Amino acid sequence: MDKRLVHNFIWIPVMIIGFIAIGMGLTWALHKEPWLLDKVPNEILLKKSFKELFTAEINYYLPSYLTLVYKFFGLWLTSLGLLIINYVYITRMGTKESRFSIYLVLLIILMGIYYLVFSFIPTSPFIPVLYILTMLYLISLIFSFKLEG
């Protein structure tokens, strides 16, 4: 296989991971009530509906707090996506060191997400996105071995 094509299969999937992170981050950051994006798994985890939760007097300001937490998460995810895209753009993942470092970071992030999702919110509607991110990661990793071989 042509080395240029192999190299494209290395950096493009990681770049797509960055764009997905930005898209999801902006979704959480800009949504009026971002906790509703994964309402069902959250309610299963809490063992209460949001309506029940918000009607309790002690939780009067809980929607404001949840908005802040989710918007911060969205900002963090957007920032992570921008960093990934910037890293790939600058390095083009042209060296073993650049590929190894981004693969290690992405592996740690993916393992953490898998742990959190399947430990706490196994009914999340975002599980298919997690599988897509993993597929993109593996495509890039596999083609990285082809380039070295």
Side-chain angles (χ1 to χ4, degrees), residues 5-17 84 87-88 92-94 98-100 102-103 106 110 132-148:
L5 182 62
V6 170
H7 187 250
N8 287 340
F9 276 108
I10 292 171
W11 71 267
I12 290 174
V14 178
M15 186 74 88
I16 293 169
I17 290 172
I84 290 169
Y87 181 85
V88 172
R92 287 285 190 222
M93 298 178 63
S98 65
R99 290 189 299 273
F100 176 78
I102 195 74
Y103 291 147
L106 289 175
L110 283 172
I132 290 169
L133 293 173
T134 303
M135 180 192 69
L136 290 166
Y137 173 83
L138 290 173
I139 288 169
S140 181
L141 185 65
I142 289 166
F143 277 93
S144 182
F145 287 124
K146 287 184 179 274
L147 186 65
E148 293 173 13

Side-chain angles (χ1 to χ4, degrees), residues 61-74:
Y61 295 103
L62 186 59
S64 298
Y65 176 75
L66 287 174
T67 300
L68 173 67
V69 169
Y70 272 90
K71 288 189 181 294
F72 178 79
F73 174 66

Side-chain angles (χ1 to χ4, degrees), residues 78-94:
T78 302
S79 301
L80 183 64
L82 288 169
L83 285 171
I84 290 169
I85 289 170
N86 193 42
Y87 181 85
V88 172
Y89 177 75
I90 290 171
T91 67
R92 287 285 190 222
M93 298 178 63

Side-chain angles (χ1 to χ4, degrees), residues 23-115:
M24 291 184 73
L26 289 174
T27 300
W28 271 299
L30 300 175
H31 197 279
K32 184 178 177 185
E33 295 176 319
W35 61 87
L36 295 179
L37 294 172
D38 49 356
K39 179 183 176 188
V40 173
N42 281 335
E43 289 180 340
I44 290 170
L45 178 65
L46 295 168
K47 296 179 178 44
K48 282 190 181 225
S49 72
F50 281 117
K51 186 174 182 176
E52 284 178 86
L53 209 56
F54 296 155
T55 56
E57 187 177 330
I58 195 167
N59 294 333
Y60 183 75
Y61 295 103
L62 186 59
S64 298
Y65 176 75
L66 287 174
T67 300
L68 173 67
V69 169
Y70 272 90
K71 288 189 181 294
F72 178 79
F73 174 66
L75 176 63
W76 172 82
L77 197 53
T78 302
S79 301
L80 183 64
L82 288 169
L83 285 171
I84 290 169
I85 289 170
N86 193 42
Y87 181 85
V88 172
Y89 177 75
I90 290 171
T91 67
R92 287 285 190 222
M93 298 178 63
T95 64
K96 285 182 185 182
E97 293 82 14
S98 65
R99 290 189 299 273
F100 176 78
S101 62
I102 195 74
Y103 291 147
L104 180 62
V105 168
L106 289 175
L107 179 65
I108 292 167
I109 291 169
L110 283 172
M111 286 174 37
I113 294 170
Y114 270 100
Y115 171 74

